[in-house]
Amino acid sequence: MSFSLPASARIVKDTLGVVHDIPDKVDHVICSGAGCLRLLTYLGVEDRVVGVDGMEKRKSPFDSRPYALVTPAYKSLPLFGQHLGRDNPELIMALDPAPQVIFKTVGSSGLKPEVLQQKTHIPVIAVEYGDLDSQSEQFYQALEIMGDSLDRKERAAELVSFFKDTRSDLEARASASEKEAPSIYVGGISYRGSRGLASTDPVYAPFAALGLQNLAASKAKASGGHATTIAKEKLIEWDPEIILLDLATLQLGPDAGGQAELMNDPAYQILSAREKGQVWGTLPYALYTKNYGSILADAYFLGKLVYPDSFADIDPVSKADEIYSFLFGKPVFDEMNRIFDDLVFRQVPVQ
């Protein structure tokens, strides 16, 4: 089997500034690293994927990645390596059809993009996954680079506009409210696996979009912008008026995780949010890095919760499906809700 690429017809520059020669028409690709395949699915070219990493092969009743729910075909594709960018060049070169381009998120483990390219003789286009806040430009650039490579520039532009406009709408609604926001804590955030109530995110994007105080913000630098674990005593000291429970914590089982801790841990019995029934379930924030669509849906739910006048026209469930439909072409809220015990955007029983 030959792995020579068609004659180059154009060039693409990746996020590292590397210029790649790629075919004029790219029909076969793979995505390496956390979040990379999610971005490609946003672009609507999932039919061009010819192989997947180990994350797509995992079997779990709690899969919180909407992109995986709408594209079950990913599970049946050949394996080319393990998750987090730990690629196997031999498996990649055995793929048939052979990928014409490999997209790889920067910071992934395994082979560096230039080494993977040397070993496979396939252009490896590096992109930054970014976020919806301080690194939003990296996120937008990733969509644009991938869109350019796949002749999906128009769709990439639509996506960038959608994320920018949605963020602006959230900010405008929050700014228009005259209501003072209550103190809020988010717990159960996943990071390299499911976590309990003490796992939070000091740069939680829904808080940032709504201009809400993040009680754990002081941990941002130390955590490097990832989930971090706080001391139990600190949560008791904060005694937030509202607790958001990232429902990914349910993966720990009925006797562990945030809901079980709030029910059974004596230290948490005095929390005001628990006593007043102000513990609410939210869509999982991250699995294989951040779930951008779910983050926006959670932000609208949270806005409705704390600024009801400014979000009076918003039904969080309908808004979630509107977001998912734009990103993936179909609504998936009901399926996500079933996976997480019908607790999404509802009060979580903790007594």
Side-chain angles (χ1 to χ4, degrees):
M1 180 178 177
S2 172
F3 297 99
S4 59
L5 294 173
S8 173
R10 59 199 178 101
I11 61 172
V12 171
K13 182 186 290 187
D14 71 14
T15 196
L16 299 176
V18 178
V19 175
H20 300 276
D21 296 321
I22 66 172
D24 183 54
K25 195 170 188 302
V26 175
D27 293 315
H28 305 129
V29 302
I30 59 175
C31 286
S32 167
C36 189
L37 192 56
R38 181 182 286 110
L39 302 189
L40 185 138
T41 309
Y42 288 168
L43 289 164
V45 289
E46 52 271 26
D47 59 330
R48 304 189 202 183
V49 180
V50 297
V52 294
D53 69 18
M55 175 58 74
E56 306 309 321
K57 297 289 189 178
R58 68 194 292 272
K59 295 180 180 179
S60 170
F62 289 99
D63 198 332
S64 58
R65 299 168 300 146
Y67 81 88
L69 296 179
V70 301
T71 49
Y74 285 155
K75 288 189 181 299
S76 64
L77 291 174
L79 185 74
F80 68 77
Q82 295 307 309
H83 70 298
L84 296 175
R86 292 174 292 175
D87 311 312
N88 185 319
E90 292 183 358
L91 290 179
I92 291 174
M93 296 180 71
L95 293 172
D96 186 10
Q100 298 158 290
V101 164
I102 300 170
F103 295 107
K104 189 176 181 72
T105 46
V106 173
S108 300
S109 54
L111 299 175
K112 294 185 180 298
E114 63 272 19
V115 176
L116 183 60
Q117 182 165 312
Q118 290 168 3
K119 288 181 175 291
T120 60
H121 308 291
I122 299 169
V124 179
I125 299 176
V127 295
E128 288 269 13
Y129 192 75
D131 60 30
L132 294 179
D133 193 31
S134 62
Q135 299 181 56
S136 59
E137 290 305 316
Q138 290 95 315
F139 168 47
Y140 301 149
Q141 183 189 54
L143 292 171
E144 290 164 351
I145 290 171
M146 294 175 75
D148 186 18
S149 303
L150 298 166
D151 195 25
R152 295 285 286 170
K153 283 186 175 182
E154 184 175 341
R155 173 59 175 170
E158 290 174 351
L159 286 163
V160 172
S161 294
F162 171 80
F163 282 105
K164 287 182 175 179
D165 292 347
T166 304
R167 175 64 187 258
S168 295
D169 181 56
L170 287 163
E171 291 175 347
R173 288 173 180 271
S175 297
S177 178
E178 298 180 357
K179 185 177 182 292
E180 184 176 350
S183 59
I184 312 171
Y185 170 79
V186 59
I189 299 287
S190 295
Y191 181 58
R192 296 186 177 178
S194 301
R195 297 284 186 267
L197 184 64
S199 180
T200 190
D201 194 322
V203 291
Y204 187 60
F207 287 165
L210 297 167
L212 297 171
Q213 179 188 6
N214 190 327
L215 295 173
S218 63
K219 301 281 187 180
K221 187 173 182 180
S223 72
H226 295 294
T228 188
T229 301
I230 62 164
K232 185 182 299 186
E233 294 75 16
K234 182 57 69 174
L235 179 54
I236 295 169
E237 176 189 328
W238 289 335
D239 193 22
E241 296 169 75
I242 293 173
I243 292 177
L244 303 180
L245 194 62
D246 186 299
L247 293 173
T249 193
L250 297 181
Q251 297 179 74
L252 293 173
D255 299 321
Q259 183 182 17
E261 290 172 304
L262 284 165
M263 282 182 169
N264 305 318
D265 191 326
Y268 292 136
Q269 305 299 300
I270 62 172
L271 288 173
S272 298
R274 178 188 181 278
E275 289 300 307
K276 296 178 181 179
Q278 289 298 311
V279 179
W280 296 84
T282 58
L283 289 159
Y285 184 68
L287 178 61
Y288 217 27
T289 200
K290 299 177 180 68
N291 285 316
Y292 286 135
S294 297
I295 287 171
L296 294 179
D298 281 341
Y300 275 101
F301 162 71
L302 183 55
K304 180 85 170 186
L305 188 64
V306 300
Y307 298 129
D309 292 342
S310 294
F311 287 79
D313 61 321
I314 296 295
D315 173 68
V317 172
S318 297
K319 193 64 176 180
D321 269 339
E322 178 185 322
I323 292 166
Y324 289 141
S325 294
F326 177 78
L327 295 177
F328 305 118
K330 63 181 293 188
V332 292
F333 178 85
D334 284 347
E335 188 171 359
M336 291 283 287
N337 195 27
R338 282 194 300 272
I339 289 171
F340 294 98
D341 294 350
D342 294 324
L343 290 174
V344 181
F345 303 159
R346 295 185 182 179
Q347 290 171 297
V348 178
V350 291
Q351 296 190 41

